[in-house]
Protein backbone atom coordinates (compact mmCIF):
# COMPACT_ATOMS: atom_id res chain seq x y z
CA UNK A 1 0.00 0.00 0.00
CA UNK A 2 1.13 3.54 -0.83
CA UNK A 3 -0.14 6.20 1.60
CA UNK A 4 -0.14 9.89 0.67
CA UNK A 5 -0.62 12.56 3.37
CA UNK A 6 -2.44 15.72 2.35
CA UNK A 7 -4.14 18.59 4.14
CA UNK A 8 -7.64 19.78 3.31
CA UNK A 9 -8.21 22.95 1.40
CA UNK A 10 -5.82 24.53 -1.06
CA UNK A 11 -3.15 21.82 -0.86
CA UNK A 12 -5.67 19.05 -1.54
CA UNK A 13 -7.30 21.01 -4.39
CA UNK A 14 -3.99 21.94 -6.02
CA UNK A 15 -2.57 18.42 -5.62
CA UNK A 16 -5.55 16.78 -7.40
CA UNK A 17 -4.31 17.52 -10.95
CA UNK A 18 -0.84 16.20 -10.05
CA UNK A 19 -2.35 12.98 -8.69
CA UNK A 20 -4.44 12.70 -11.86
CA UNK A 21 -1.26 12.95 -13.93
CA UNK A 22 0.01 9.92 -12.02
CA UNK A 23 -3.29 8.10 -12.70
CA UNK A 24 -4.60 8.56 -9.14
CA UNK A 25 -8.18 9.74 -8.57
CA UNK A 26 -9.55 9.99 -5.00
CA UNK A 27 -12.84 8.17 -4.35
CA UNK A 28 -14.17 11.10 -2.29
CA UNK A 29 -13.41 14.74 -1.51
CA UNK A 30 -12.31 15.48 2.09
CA UNK A 31 -14.93 18.26 2.27
CA UNK A 32 -17.76 15.80 1.60
CA UNK A 33 -16.75 13.06 4.03
CA UNK A 34 -15.70 12.73 7.66
CA UNK A 35 -13.36 9.88 6.77
CA UNK A 36 -9.69 10.56 7.34
CA UNK A 37 -8.56 7.75 5.06
CA UNK A 38 -9.75 8.12 1.48
CA UNK A 39 -9.39 5.39 -1.11
CA UNK A 40 -8.51 6.00 -4.73
CA UNK A 41 -9.10 4.35 -8.09
CA UNK A 42 -5.77 2.59 -7.53
CA UNK A 43 -6.35 -0.32 -5.13
CA UNK A 44 -2.87 0.09 -3.63
CA UNK A 45 -3.00 3.89 -3.10
CA UNK A 46 -4.77 5.67 -0.24
CA UNK A 47 -4.84 9.26 0.94
CA UNK A 48 -4.80 10.37 4.57
CA UNK A 49 -6.15 13.79 5.53
CA UNK A 50 -4.13 15.53 8.27
CA UNK A 51 -3.41 19.04 9.54
CA UNK A 52 -1.01 20.90 7.24
CA UNK A 53 1.59 21.12 9.99
CA UNK A 54 1.32 17.38 10.72
CA UNK A 55 2.15 16.20 7.17
CA UNK A 56 5.95 16.08 7.73
CA UNK A 57 5.48 14.07 10.93
CA UNK A 58 3.38 11.35 9.26
CA UNK A 59 5.94 11.05 6.45
CA UNK A 60 8.97 11.21 8.77
CA UNK A 61 7.73 8.20 10.77
CA UNK A 62 6.66 6.28 7.66
CA UNK A 63 2.93 6.38 8.47
CA UNK A 64 2.69 7.98 5.04
CA UNK A 65 5.09 7.30 2.15
CA UNK A 66 4.49 10.63 0.43
CA UNK A 67 3.10 13.98 1.45
CA UNK A 68 2.64 17.54 0.28
CA UNK A 69 3.72 20.29 2.67
CA UNK A 70 4.40 24.01 2.49
CA UNK A 71 8.00 25.21 2.75
CA UNK A 72 6.79 27.17 5.82
CA UNK A 73 5.74 23.94 7.52
CA UNK A 74 8.91 22.11 6.47
CA UNK A 75 11.18 24.83 7.85
CA UNK A 76 9.35 24.77 11.20
CA UNK A 77 9.46 20.94 11.29
CA UNK A 78 13.15 20.75 10.37
CA UNK A 79 12.78 18.12 7.63
CA UNK A 80 14.40 15.21 9.52
CA UNK A 81 13.88 11.86 7.77
CA UNK A 82 12.34 13.51 4.73
CA UNK A 83 13.49 13.44 1.17
CA UNK A 84 12.27 16.59 -0.66
CA UNK A 85 12.70 15.80 -4.37
CA UNK A 86 10.34 18.34 -5.89
CA UNK A 87 8.98 21.85 -5.53
CA UNK A 88 5.39 21.42 -6.74
CA UNK A 89 4.99 25.20 -7.25
CA UNK A 90 1.51 25.13 -5.68
CA UNK A 91 -0.08 26.97 -2.73
CA UNK A 92 2.22 29.91 -3.37
CA UNK A 93 2.46 32.74 -0.89
CA UNK A 94 5.14 34.62 1.02
CA UNK A 95 6.29 34.76 4.63
CA UNK A 96 6.15 38.41 5.65
CA UNK A 97 6.48 40.74 8.60
CA UNK A 98 3.37 42.89 8.99
CA UNK A 99 2.42 45.70 11.36
CA UNK A 100 -0.52 47.95 12.00
CA UNK A 101 -0.77 50.67 9.35
CA UNK A 102 1.17 53.68 10.73
CA UNK A 103 3.58 51.74 12.98
CA UNK A 104 7.14 52.93 12.22
CA UNK A 105 8.77 49.51 11.75
CA UNK A 106 11.96 50.82 10.10
CA UNK A 107 12.31 53.40 12.88
CA UNK A 108 11.89 50.75 15.56
CA UNK A 109 14.51 48.56 13.85
CA UNK A 110 16.97 51.48 13.54
CA UNK A 111 16.51 52.51 17.17
CA UNK A 112 17.18 48.94 18.26
CA UNK A 113 13.87 48.83 20.13
CA UNK A 114 12.94 45.43 21.49
CA UNK A 115 9.89 44.30 19.54
CA UNK A 116 7.15 41.82 20.35
CA UNK A 117 6.42 39.51 17.43
CA UNK A 118 3.42 37.20 17.35
CA UNK A 119 3.62 34.21 15.01
CA UNK A 120 2.95 30.58 14.33
CA UNK A 121 6.36 30.47 12.59
CA UNK A 122 8.66 30.89 15.58
CA UNK A 123 11.69 29.10 14.06
CA UNK A 124 11.70 31.23 10.94
CA UNK A 125 10.95 34.42 12.86
CA UNK A 126 13.78 33.71 15.30
CA UNK A 127 16.20 33.15 12.44
CA UNK A 128 15.05 36.21 10.49
CA UNK A 129 15.39 38.69 13.37
CA UNK A 130 18.64 37.16 14.61
CA UNK A 131 20.12 37.62 11.12
CA UNK A 132 19.05 41.29 11.21
CA UNK A 133 20.42 41.73 14.72
CA UNK A 134 17.00 42.79 16.02
CA UNK A 135 16.01 41.79 19.54
CA UNK A 136 12.53 40.33 19.70
CA UNK A 137 10.22 38.61 22.12
CA UNK A 138 8.39 35.90 20.20
CA UNK A 139 4.82 35.09 21.13
CA UNK A 140 3.61 31.75 19.76
CA UNK A 141 0.11 31.78 18.27
CA UNK A 142 -1.77 29.05 16.41
CA UNK A 143 -4.00 31.19 14.17
CA UNK A 144 -5.60 34.59 13.53
CA UNK A 145 -2.21 36.30 13.88
CA UNK A 146 -3.66 39.47 12.32
CA UNK A 147 -5.48 40.19 15.54
CA UNK A 148 -2.35 40.47 17.70
CA UNK A 149 -1.18 44.02 16.71
CA UNK A 150 -4.76 45.33 16.83
CA UNK A 151 -5.24 44.48 20.50
CA UNK A 152 -1.71 45.28 21.70
CA UNK A 153 -0.46 41.70 22.02
CA UNK A 154 2.41 42.37 19.59
CA UNK A 155 4.10 45.14 17.58
CA UNK A 156 4.32 42.96 14.50
CA UNK A 157 3.39 39.54 13.17
CA UNK A 158 5.19 37.05 10.95
CA UNK A 159 2.60 35.39 8.72
CA UNK A 160 1.87 34.03 5.26
CA UNK A 161 0.46 36.52 2.77
CA UNK A 162 -0.86 35.83 -0.69
CA UNK A 163 -3.27 38.52 -1.90
CA UNK A 164 -2.88 40.76 1.14
CA UNK A 165 -6.67 40.85 1.53
CA UNK A 166 -6.66 39.70 5.16
CA UNK A 167 -3.98 42.23 6.12
CA UNK A 168 -5.90 45.04 4.43
CA UNK A 169 -9.20 44.05 6.06
CA UNK A 170 -7.47 44.38 9.45
CA UNK A 171 -5.61 47.65 8.78
CA UNK A 172 -2.23 45.91 8.62
CA UNK A 173 0.58 46.37 6.11
CA UNK A 174 3.41 44.07 5.05
CA UNK A 175 6.71 45.74 5.97
CA UNK A 176 9.24 43.02 5.18
CA UNK A 177 9.44 40.00 2.89
CA UNK A 178 11.16 37.01 4.51
CA UNK A 179 10.82 34.36 1.80
CA UNK A 180 8.60 33.06 -0.97
CA UNK A 181 6.71 29.89 -0.05
CA UNK A 182 5.38 27.03 -2.13
CA UNK A 183 4.55 23.41 -1.38
CA UNK A 184 6.97 20.49 -1.79
CA UNK A 185 6.62 16.81 -2.28
CA UNK A 186 8.05 15.00 0.72
CA UNK A 187 8.98 11.33 0.68
CA UNK A 188 9.88 8.96 3.50
CA UNK A 189 13.51 7.98 2.96
CA UNK A 190 13.09 4.25 3.54
CA UNK A 191 9.83 4.10 1.52
CA UNK A 192 11.73 5.49 -1.43
CA UNK A 193 14.12 2.55 -1.23
CA UNK A 194 11.63 -0.18 -0.35
CA UNK A 195 8.81 0.93 -2.67
CA UNK A 196 10.98 2.47 -5.36
CA UNK A 197 9.30 0.72 -8.29
CA UNK A 198 5.87 2.10 -7.38
CA UNK A 199 6.96 5.54 -6.05
CA UNK A 200 9.49 6.66 -8.65
CA UNK A 201 7.00 6.70 -11.58
CA UNK A 202 4.59 8.75 -9.43
CA UNK A 203 7.32 11.24 -8.56
CA UNK A 204 8.30 11.39 -12.24
CA UNK A 205 4.68 12.06 -13.28
CA UNK A 206 4.44 14.91 -10.76
CA UNK A 207 7.76 16.33 -11.99
CA UNK A 208 6.70 16.19 -15.64
CA UNK A 209 3.44 18.01 -14.87
CA UNK A 210 5.18 20.72 -12.84
CA UNK A 211 7.79 21.22 -15.57
CA UNK A 212 5.11 21.45 -18.28
CA UNK A 213 3.28 24.11 -16.27
CA UNK A 214 6.43 26.13 -15.73
CA UNK A 215 7.21 25.95 -19.46
CA UNK A 216 3.81 27.53 -20.20
CA UNK A 217 4.39 30.68 -18.12
P1 LIG B 1 -4.75 25.10 9.74
O1 LIG B 1 -5.66 26.06 8.98
O2 LIG B 1 -5.18 23.67 9.66
O3 LIG B 1 -4.39 25.58 11.09
P2 LIG B 1 -2.86 26.07 7.94
O4 LIG B 1 -3.47 27.43 8.06
O5 LIG B 1 -1.37 25.99 7.96
O6 LIG B 1 -3.36 25.07 9.00
P3 LIG B 1 -3.83 26.01 5.28
O7 LIG B 1 -4.45 27.33 5.49
O8 LIG B 1 -4.61 24.94 4.58
O9 LIG B 1 -3.41 25.36 6.65
O10 LIG B 1 -2.45 26.20 4.59
C1 LIG B 1 -1.73 25.09 4.15
C2 LIG B 1 -0.50 25.57 3.46
O11 LIG B 1 -0.86 26.38 2.34
C3 LIG B 1 0.41 26.45 4.33
O12 LIG B 1 1.30 25.67 5.07
C4 LIG B 1 1.11 27.28 3.28
O13 LIG B 1 2.22 26.60 2.73
C5 LIG B 1 0.03 27.46 2.23
N1 LIG B 1 -0.71 28.71 2.47
C6 LIG B 1 -1.15 29.19 3.63
N2 LIG B 1 -1.75 30.38 3.49
C7 LIG B 1 -1.69 30.64 2.18
C8 LIG B 1 -2.16 31.70 1.38
N3 LIG B 1 -2.77 32.76 1.91
N4 LIG B 1 -1.98 31.60 0.05
C9 LIG B 1 -1.38 30.54 -0.49
N5 LIG B 1 -0.89 29.50 0.22
C10 LIG B 1 -1.04 29.56 1.53
MG1 LIG C 1 -5.50 28.10 7.51
Amino acid sequence: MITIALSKGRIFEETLPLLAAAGIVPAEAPESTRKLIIGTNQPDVQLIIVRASDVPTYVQYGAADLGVAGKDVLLEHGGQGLYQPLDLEIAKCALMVATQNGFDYEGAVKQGARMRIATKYTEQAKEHFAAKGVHVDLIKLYGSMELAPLVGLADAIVDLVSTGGTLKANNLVAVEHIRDISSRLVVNQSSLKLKHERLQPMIDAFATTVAARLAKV
Side-chain angles (χ1 to χ4, degrees):
M1 183 59 83
I2 303 291
T3 300
I4 305 176
L6 298 174
S7 54
K8 271 189 203 179
R10 80 189 101 221
I11 289 192
F12 185 86
E13 298 304 326
E14 296 189 36
T15 302
L16 274 180
L18 298 170
L19 292 174
I24 301 165
V25 181
E28 292 175 274
E31 275 71 25
S32 62
T33 176
R34 297 168 85 152
K35 283 188 203 161
L36 298 174
I37 301 181
I38 297 180
T40 72
N41 64 327
Q42 305 285 330
D44 65 339
V45 180
Q46 65 181 6
L47 310 181
I48 60 172
I49 306 301
V50 304
R51 282 294 283 270
S53 46
D54 291 335
V55 167
T57 307
Y58 279 86
V59 178
Q60 172 187 5
Y61 288 98
D65 303 295
L66 299 181
V68 175
K71 185 72 183 163
D72 51 320
V73 162
L74 291 168
L75 286 169
E76 291 301 310
H77 170 271
Q80 311 89 314
L82 302 176
Y83 175 54
Q84 298 183 32
L86 189 59
D87 183 347
L88 299 173
E89 307 271 355
I90 61 170
K92 287 188 173 190
C93 52
L95 190 69
M96 308 266 238
V97 182
T99 66
Q100 214 165 352
N101 198 358
F103 178 81
D104 182 11
Y105 177 73
E106 281 308 321
V109 168
K110 282 207 189 90
Q111 281 170 29
R114 194 171 185 96
M115 267 186 281
R116 284 214 301 205
I117 310 290
T119 187
K120 181 160 125 181
Y121 304 101
T122 47
E123 291 302 318
Q124 290 162 89
K126 197 191 297 170
E127 190 196 285
H128 174 72
F129 290 107
K132 279 173 70 82
V134 174
H135 294 286
V136 294
D137 292 315
L138 292 174
I139 300 175
K140 171 86 182 183
L141 291 179
Y142 294 88
S144 303
M145 264 81 81
E146 295 83 5
L147 186 59
L150 306 181
V151 294
L153 178 63
D155 302 304
I157 60 173
V158 168
D159 198 6
L160 299 176
V161 179
S162 54
T163 62
T166 309
L167 292 183
K168 204 170 175 194
N170 291 292
N171 194 34
L172 302 177
V173 285
V175 292
E176 204 161 55
H177 177 274
I178 299 180
R179 66 170 52 85
D180 286 327
I181 299 285
S182 57
S183 285
R184 319 276 159 134
L185 184 67
V186 293
V187 186
N188 177 273
Q189 286 173 351
S190 31
S191 296
L192 189 61
K193 292 186 199 115
L194 298 171
K195 304 182 182 177
H196 191 267
E197 268 178 48
R198 189 71 172 101
L199 290 181
Q200 194 59 52
M202 281 183 200
I203 298 170
D204 292 343
F206 299 155
T208 304
T209 309
V210 173
R213 279 185 189 166
L214 290 179
K216 264 190 222 158
V217 266

PDB file of all heavy atoms in Angstrom, residues 132-154:
ATOM      1  N   LYS A 132      19.095  39.823  11.290  1.00  0.00           N
ATOM      2  CA  LYS A 132      19.049  41.290  11.205  1.00  0.00           C
ATOM      3  C   LYS A 132      19.653  41.958  12.443  1.00  0.00           C
ATOM      4  O   LYS A 132      19.818  43.183  12.481  1.00  0.00           O
ATOM      5  CB  LYS A 132      17.581  41.766  11.132  1.00  0.00           C
ATOM      6  CG  LYS A 132      16.949  41.682   9.769  1.00  0.00           C
ATOM      7  CD  LYS A 132      15.449  42.024   9.862  1.00  0.00           C
ATOM      8  CE  LYS A 132      15.149  43.487  10.152  1.00  0.00           C
ATOM      9  NZ  LYS A 132      15.203  44.342   8.961  1.00  0.00           N
ATOM     10  N   GLY A 133      19.908  41.174  13.474  1.00  0.00           N
ATOM     11  CA  GLY A 133      20.415  41.731  14.723  1.00  0.00           C
ATOM     12  C   GLY A 133      19.363  42.496  15.504  1.00  0.00           C
ATOM     13  O   GLY A 133      19.678  43.402  16.271  1.00  0.00           O
ATOM     14  N   VAL A 134      18.098  42.119  15.306  1.00  0.00           N
ATOM     15  CA  VAL A 134      17.001  42.788  16.020  1.00  0.00           C
ATOM     16  C   VAL A 134      16.562  41.913  17.188  1.00  0.00           C
ATOM     17  O   VAL A 134      16.334  40.717  17.028  1.00  0.00           O
ATOM     18  CB  VAL A 134      15.807  43.032  15.060  1.00  0.00           C
ATOM     19  CG1 VAL A 134      14.604  43.593  15.811  1.00  0.00           C
ATOM     20  CG2 VAL A 134      16.222  43.964  13.929  1.00  0.00           C
ATOM     21  N   HIS A 135      16.461  42.535  18.364  1.00  0.00           N
ATOM     22  CA  HIS A 135      16.012  41.786  19.537  1.00  0.00           C
ATOM     23  C   HIS A 135      14.500  41.700  19.551  1.00  0.00           C
ATOM     24  O   HIS A 135      13.825  42.719  19.431  1.00  0.00           O
ATOM     25  CB  HIS A 135      16.500  42.450  20.821  1.00  0.00           C
ATOM     26  CG  HIS A 135      17.994  42.390  20.950  1.00  0.00           C
ATOM     27  ND1 HIS A 135      18.646  41.222  21.272  1.00  0.00           N
ATOM     28  CD2 HIS A 135      18.942  43.331  20.753  1.00  0.00           C
ATOM     29  CE1 HIS A 135      19.948  41.453  21.281  1.00  0.00           C
ATOM     30  NE2 HIS A 135      20.155  42.727  20.956  1.00  0.00           N
ATOM     31  N   VAL A 136      13.984  40.492  19.687  1.00  0.00           N
ATOM     32  CA  VAL A 136      12.531  40.326  19.696  1.00  0.00           C
ATOM     33  C   VAL A 136      12.102  39.380  20.808  1.00  0.00           C
ATOM     34  O   VAL A 136      12.859  38.508  21.222  1.00  0.00           O
ATOM     35  CB  VAL A 136      12.006  39.780  18.340  1.00  0.00           C
ATOM     36  CG1 VAL A 136      12.222  40.769  17.216  1.00  0.00           C
ATOM     37  CG2 VAL A 136      12.628  38.433  17.992  1.00  0.00           C
ATOM     38  N   ASP A 137      10.891  39.593  21.280  1.00  0.00           N
ATOM     39  CA  ASP A 137      10.215  38.608  22.118  1.00  0.00           C
ATOM     40  C   ASP A 137       9.191  37.937  21.231  1.00  0.00           C
ATOM     41  O   ASP A 137       8.326  38.610  20.671  1.00  0.00           O
ATOM     42  CB  ASP A 137       9.504  39.283  23.300  1.00  0.00           C
ATOM     43  CG  ASP A 137      10.503  39.879  24.275  1.00  0.00           C
ATOM     44  OD1 ASP A 137      11.493  39.191  24.594  1.00  0.00           O
ATOM     45  OD2 ASP A 137      10.303  41.033  24.693  1.00  0.00           O
ATOM     46  N   LEU A 138       9.318  36.634  21.075  1.00  0.00           N
ATOM     47  CA  LEU A 138       8.394  35.902  20.205  1.00  0.00           C
ATOM     48  C   LEU A 138       7.215  35.381  21.022  1.00  0.00           C
ATOM     49  O   LEU A 138       7.406  34.810  22.097  1.00  0.00           O
ATOM     50  CB  LEU A 138       9.105  34.734  19.531  1.00  0.00           C
ATOM     51  CG  LEU A 138      10.175  35.118  18.509  1.00  0.00           C
ATOM     52  CD1 LEU A 138      10.910  33.878  18.019  1.00  0.00           C
ATOM     53  CD2 LEU A 138       9.563  35.869  17.337  1.00  0.00           C
ATOM     54  N   ILE A 139       6.037  35.597  20.491  1.00  0.00           N
ATOM     55  CA  ILE A 139       4.822  35.088  21.129  1.00  0.00           C
ATOM     56  C   ILE A 139       4.199  34.075  20.176  1.00  0.00           C
ATOM     57  O   ILE A 139       3.820  34.414  19.057  1.00  0.00           O
ATOM     58  CB  ILE A 139       3.833  36.227  21.414  1.00  0.00           C
ATOM     59  CG1 ILE A 139       4.479  37.258  22.348  1.00  0.00           C
ATOM     60  CG2 ILE A 139       2.535  35.673  22.007  1.00  0.00           C
ATOM     61  CD1 ILE A 139       3.631  38.485  22.594  1.00  0.00           C
ATOM     62  N   LYS A 140       4.130  32.827  20.621  1.00  0.00           N
ATOM     63  CA  LYS A 140       3.606  31.751  19.763  1.00  0.00           C
ATOM     64  C   LYS A 140       2.080  31.804  19.701  1.00  0.00           C
ATOM     65  O   LYS A 140       1.408  31.786  20.728  1.00  0.00           O
ATOM     66  CB  LYS A 140       4.057  30.396  20.315  1.00  0.00           C
ATOM     67  CG  LYS A 140       3.428  29.187  19.668  1.00  0.00           C
ATOM     68  CD  LYS A 140       4.151  28.736  18.429  1.00  0.00           C
ATOM     69  CE  LYS A 140       3.450  27.546  17.793  1.00  0.00           C
ATOM     70  NZ  LYS A 140       4.156  27.032  16.619  1.00  0.00           N
ATOM     71  N   LEU A 141       1.556  31.868  18.486  1.00  0.00           N
ATOM     72  CA  LEU A 141       0.107  31.779  18.273  1.00  0.00           C
ATOM     73  C   LEU A 141      -0.165  30.622  17.315  1.00  0.00           C
ATOM     74  O   LEU A 141       0.736  30.167  16.606  1.00  0.00           O
ATOM     75  CB  LEU A 141      -0.449  33.083  17.686  1.00  0.00           C
ATOM     76  CG  LEU A 141      -0.459  34.314  18.598  1.00  0.00           C
ATOM     77  CD1 LEU A 141      -1.010  35.517  17.841  1.00  0.00           C
ATOM     78  CD2 LEU A 141      -1.250  34.074  19.876  1.00  0.00           C
ATOM     79  N   TYR A 142      -1.406  30.179  17.262  1.00  0.00           N
ATOM     80  CA  TYR A 142      -1.775  29.051  16.406  1.00  0.00           C
ATOM     81  C   TYR A 142      -2.712  29.452  15.269  1.00  0.00           C
ATOM     82  O   TYR A 142      -3.042  28.638  14.423  1.00  0.00           O
ATOM     83  CB  TYR A 142      -2.379  27.926  17.260  1.00  0.00           C
ATOM     84  CG  TYR A 142      -1.350  27.351  18.199  1.00  0.00           C
ATOM     85  CD1 TYR A 142      -1.143  27.899  19.467  1.00  0.00           C
ATOM     86  CD2 TYR A 142      -0.515  26.317  17.795  1.00  0.00           C
ATOM     87  CE1 TYR A 142      -0.167  27.398  20.313  1.00  0.00           C
ATOM     88  CE2 TYR A 142       0.460  25.811  18.631  1.00  0.00           C
ATOM     89  CZ  TYR A 142       0.635  26.349  19.888  1.00  0.00           C
ATOM     90  OH  TYR A 142       1.613  25.865  20.714  1.00  0.00           O
ATOM     91  N   GLY A 143      -3.130  30.723  15.249  1.00  0.00           N
ATOM     92  CA  GLY A 143      -4.001  31.192  14.168  1.00  0.00           C
ATOM     93  C   GLY A 143      -4.399  32.629  14.399  1.00  0.00           C
ATOM     94  O   GLY A 143      -4.033  33.223  15.430  1.00  0.00           O
ATOM     95  N   SER A 144      -5.118  33.202  13.448  1.00  0.00           N
ATOM     96  CA  SER A 144      -5.599  34.593  13.533  1.00  0.00           C
ATOM     97  C   SER A 144      -4.529  35.571  14.023  1.00  0.00           C
ATOM     98  O   SER A 144      -4.802  36.437  14.856  1.00  0.00           O
ATOM     99  CB  SER A 144      -6.832  34.692  14.427  1.00  0.00           C
ATOM    100  OG  SER A 144      -7.849  33.853  13.954  1.00  0.00           O
ATOM    101  N   MET A 145      -3.318  35.431  13.485  1.00  0.00           N
ATOM    102  CA  MET A 145      -2.209  36.297  13.883  1.00  0.00           C
ATOM    103  C   MET A 145      -2.522  37.776  13.687  1.00  0.00           C
ATOM    104  O   MET A 145      -2.039  38.632  14.420  1.00  0.00           O
ATOM    105  CB  MET A 145      -0.967  35.968  13.038  1.00  0.00           C
ATOM    106  CG  MET A 145       0.009  35.015  13.679  1.00  0.00           C
ATOM    107  SD  MET A 145      -0.503  33.312  13.509  1.00  0.00           S
ATOM    108  CE  MET A 145       0.034  32.952  11.856  1.00  0.00           C
ATOM    109  N   GLU A 146      -3.356  38.069  12.678  1.00  0.00           N
ATOM    110  CA  GLU A 146      -3.658  39.465  12.318  1.00  0.00           C
ATOM    111  C   GLU A 146      -4.233  40.246  13.488  1.00  0.00           C
ATOM    112  O   GLU A 146      -4.139  41.467  13.536  1.00  0.00           O
ATOM    113  CB  GLU A 146      -4.656  39.522  11.154  1.00  0.00           C
ATOM    114  CG  GLU A 146      -4.131  38.959   9.850  1.00  0.00           C
ATOM    115  CD  GLU A 146      -4.262  37.440   9.746  1.00  0.00           C
ATOM    116  OE1 GLU A 146      -4.857  36.814  10.670  1.00  0.00           O
ATOM    117  OE2 GLU A 146      -3.765  36.873   8.762  1.00  0.00           O
ATOM    118  N   LEU A 147      -4.845  39.536  14.403  1.00  0.00           N
ATOM    119  CA  LEU A 147      -5.478  40.195  15.544  1.00  0.00           C
ATOM    120  C   LEU A 147      -4.451  40.792  16.511  1.00  0.00           C
ATOM    121  O   LEU A 147      -4.708  41.825  17.151  1.00  0.00           O
ATOM    122  CB  LEU A 147      -6.341  39.158  16.272  1.00  0.00           C
ATOM    123  CG  LEU A 147      -7.221  39.620  17.415  1.00  0.00           C
ATOM    124  CD1 LEU A 147      -8.207  40.681  16.948  1.00  0.00           C
ATOM    125  CD2 LEU A 147      -7.976  38.405  17.969  1.00  0.00           C
ATOM    126  N   ALA A 148      -3.301  40.152  16.627  1.00  0.00           N
ATOM    127  CA  ALA A 148      -2.351  40.475  17.704  1.00  0.00           C
ATOM    128  C   ALA A 148      -1.946  41.959  17.764  1.00  0.00           C
ATOM    129  O   ALA A 148      -1.987  42.554  18.845  1.00  0.00           O
ATOM    130  CB  ALA A 148      -1.126  39.569  17.602  1.00  0.00           C
ATOM    131  N   PRO A 149      -1.575  42.590  16.621  1.00  0.00           N
ATOM    132  CA  PRO A 149      -1.185  44.015  16.714  1.00  0.00           C
ATOM    133  C   PRO A 149      -2.376  44.919  17.036  1.00  0.00           C
ATOM    134  O   PRO A 149      -2.201  45.976  17.631  1.00  0.00           O
ATOM    135  CB  PRO A 149      -0.652  44.335  15.308  1.00  0.00           C
ATOM    136  CG  PRO A 149      -0.389  43.025  14.659  1.00  0.00           C
ATOM    137  CD  PRO A 149      -1.374  42.068  15.265  1.00  0.00           C
ATOM    138  N   LEU A 150      -3.572  44.484  16.659  1.00  0.00           N
ATOM    139  CA  LEU A 150      -4.762  45.326  16.832  1.00  0.00           C
ATOM    140  C   LEU A 150      -5.160  45.464  18.293  1.00  0.00           C
ATOM    141  O   LEU A 150      -5.773  46.445  18.691  1.00  0.00           O
ATOM    142  CB  LEU A 150      -5.953  44.757  16.034  1.00  0.00           C
ATOM    143  CG  LEU A 150      -5.706  44.496  14.546  1.00  0.00           C
ATOM    144  CD1 LEU A 150      -6.973  43.951  13.881  1.00  0.00           C
ATOM    145  CD2 LEU A 150      -5.239  45.774  13.853  1.00  0.00           C
ATOM    146  N   VAL A 151      -4.828  44.456  19.086  1.00  0.00           N
ATOM    147  CA  VAL A 151      -5.240  44.478  20.496  1.00  0.00           C
ATOM    148  C   VAL A 151      -4.042  44.622  21.434  1.00  0.00           C
ATOM    149  O   VAL A 151      -4.154  44.416  22.642  1.00  0.00           O
ATOM    150  CB  VAL A 151      -6.059  43.207  20.865  1.00  0.00           C
ATOM    151  CG1 VAL A 151      -7.385  43.192  20.109  1.00  0.00           C
ATOM    152  CG2 VAL A 151      -5.276  41.931  20.574  1.00  0.00           C
ATOM    153  N   GLY A 152      -2.872  44.987  20.863  1.00  0.00           N
ATOM    154  CA  GLY A 152      -1.712  45.279  21.698  1.00  0.00           C
ATOM    155  C   GLY A 152      -0.974  44.051  22.201  1.00  0.00           C
ATOM    156  O   GLY A 152      -0.150  44.147  23.109  1.00  0.00           O
ATOM    157  N   LEU A 153      -1.221  42.890  21.610  1.00  0.00           N
ATOM    158  CA  LEU A 153      -0.463  41.700  22.018  1.00  0.00           C
ATOM    159  C   LEU A 153       0.956  41.756  21.446  1.00  0.00           C
ATOM    160  O   LEU A 153       1.899  41.269  22.066  1.00  0.00           O
ATOM    161  CB  LEU A 153      -1.182  40.433  21.545  1.00  0.00           C
ATOM    162  CG  LEU A 153      -0.501  39.098  21.836  1.00  0.00           C
ATOM    163  CD1 LEU A 153      -0.369  38.860  23.346  1.00  0.00           C
ATOM    164  CD2 LEU A 153      -1.259  37.928  21.205  1.00  0.00           C
ATOM    165  N   ALA A 154       1.097  42.339  20.241  1.00  0.00           N
ATOM    166  CA  ALA A 154       2.412  42.371  19.593  1.00  0.00           C
ATOM    167  C   ALA A 154       2.563  43.635  18.761  1.00  0.00           C
ATOM    168  O   ALA A 154       1.574  44.256  18.367  1.00  0.00           O
ATOM    169  CB  ALA A 154       2.569  41.147  18.699  1.00  0.00           C
TER     170      ALA A 154
END
